[in-house]
Amino acid sequence: MRDHQLLRWLAEHYVLSTGQVAAALFPSLRAARLRLAQLHQIEAVSRFVDVTTGSGQYLYTLGPLGAVVHPTQFNDPNHAGARAPRTSIDRTERIIGSRRLAHLLGTNQLFIDLIGYARTHEHARLARWWSEQHTTAAYAAASYAAGSATGVQPDGHGIWHADGRTVGFFLEHDNGTEPLATVLRKLRGYEQLAGYGPRYPVLLRVPGRRREHHLLDALAGVPTAMPVATGLHGDHPAGPAWTLTAAPRQRRWLHELPSDHGPDNPATNPHRFPDTDPSDATRCDPQP
């Protein structure tokens, strides 16, 4: 079960570090290393040295056997519609050479942190973890059905249960390399989506307080159809890490953010998350 979960994640989210795999699935880093070495030996996973941080740890992608198990994996982090790779080695080379490698690892880290939190908190659960390409494709059809010209393209999408509340969110993982105007323009698609689909908070996660303050200043007094919250890379995403742009004097826990699954309309909101009993939020085996 654990091996299959790992392969599912690598099929959708491209790459995970040794530390991320250990935090999400294993009791210790040593146990993770031993099992990953076995999976690499049977070619279920491929690995290469992390070139983004100089840490020397391995990063893992799907290997030849893993690609057989998950033939419908996402293939190219730079181009969603790129030609399918000839082999799993081709796919791995695309990931290694991607200009978005550090961004992928940073995006995945937020979800790994939530999964790790759920492992030690009985009533917490990450019920949905979708990649950028999965989320973009899922909401594109809804956008078309609603007659909207603008879709959403978040870096990730999740559904989080904690303390009896269910909060959906869209993640914009910002490494500080884009002008603020570019970041703010991304909110237009979420504005349109909120008119016919879910009104989930958009999480603008930034590398430092200065950039966060600039975002909060730019959005001060600006009404949005959906909640917008800022947070810092180094703060744990499950905790009091989020500042709503509409109420910037207080940091909130992720489960405290306002969230609305949207109208129950299969045409324009086909992926509406079902309203469930909070007592169901006890599992920590998120499905992609």
Side-chain angles (χ1 to χ4, degrees):
M1 177 65 179
R2 183 170 57 191
D3 292 348
H4 283 286
Q5 181 67 286
L6 173 60
L7 296 181
R8 282 195 295 268
W9 286 342
L10 293 179
E12 173 151 358
H13 305 290
Y14 291 109
V15 60
L16 292 170
S17 70
T18 305
Q20 289 173 336
V21 174
L25 294 172
F26 288 87
S28 69
L29 185 61
R30 181 176 181 274
R33 285 172 172 162
L34 289 173
R35 186 55 185 160
L36 286 167
Q38 293 171 338
L39 292 175
H40 178 252
Q41 186 174 19
I42 64 174
E43 297 189 324
V45 300
S46 296
R47 69 186 185 189
F48 57 96
V49 174
D50 184 1
V51 296
T52 66
T53 63
S55 64
Q57 71 173 329
Y58 282 122
L59 303 181
Y60 289 87
T61 64
L62 277 185
L65 178 59
V68 171
V69 176
H70 290 280
T72 58
Q73 73 269 17
F74 293 108
N75 291 317
D76 193 316
N78 292 336
H79 306 288
R83 172 184 52 81
R86 296 184 301 275
T87 64
S88 64
I89 295 175
D90 184 7
R91 181 179 186 268
T92 297
E93 288 176 347
R94 294 185 190 187
I95 297 169
I96 295 173
S98 172
R99 62 182 182 278
R100 303 184 68 242
L101 178 57
H103 188 272
L104 285 171
L105 288 167
T107 296
N108 291 347
Q109 186 64 52
L110 177 138
F111 294 92
I112 292 295
D113 286 341
L114 292 177
I115 294 166
Y117 181 92
R119 294 182 70 191
T120 58
H121 293 74
E122 182 181 3
H123 297 291
R125 175 187 168 213
L126 183 62
R128 179 186 288 175
W129 175 15
W130 287 0
S131 65
E132 173 187 332
Q133 292 187 20
H134 187 160
T135 309
T136 301
Y139 285 104
S143 174
Y144 179 80
S148 172
T150 304
V152 295
Q153 194 172 348
D155 295 317
H157 162 52
I159 302 286
W160 176 243
H161 290 292
D163 285 1
R165 293 199 72 239
T166 302
V167 174
F169 63 88
F170 296 112
L171 173 65
E172 292 287 348
H173 180 82
D174 174 53
N175 283 332
T177 57
E178 295 180 323
L180 284 181
T182 301
V183 177
L184 296 174
R185 278 197 298 271
K186 295 178 180 180
L187 297 179
R188 295 174 183 172
Y190 300 107
E191 286 275 357
Q192 293 196 0
L193 177 63
Y196 56 83
R199 290 178 287 278
Y200 291 149
V202 179
L203 307 183
L204 305 177
R205 204 175 196 214
V206 298
R209 293 196 182 278
R210 182 177 179 181
R211 189 163 175 88
E212 182 184 33
H213 289 158
H214 287 164
L215 277 172
L216 290 172
D217 287 345
L219 290 167
V222 178
T224 55
M226 68 292 166
V228 179
T230 61
L232 302 177
H233 289 185
D235 291 343
H236 197 290
W242 305 104
T243 300
L244 285 167
T245 58
R249 295 187 179 182
Q250 178 185 2
R251 288 200 179 268
R252 306 188 187 209
W253 289 64
L254 180 57
H255 69 266
E256 294 175 335
L257 296 179
S259 175
D260 186 343
H261 296 309
D264 189 5
N265 185 333
T268 60
N269 195 15
H271 303 286
R272 186 182 190 277
F273 192 80
D275 297 312
T276 56
D277 188 322
S279 64
D280 291 337
T282 56
R283 297 188 297 118
C284 54
D285 54 342
Q287 301 298 314

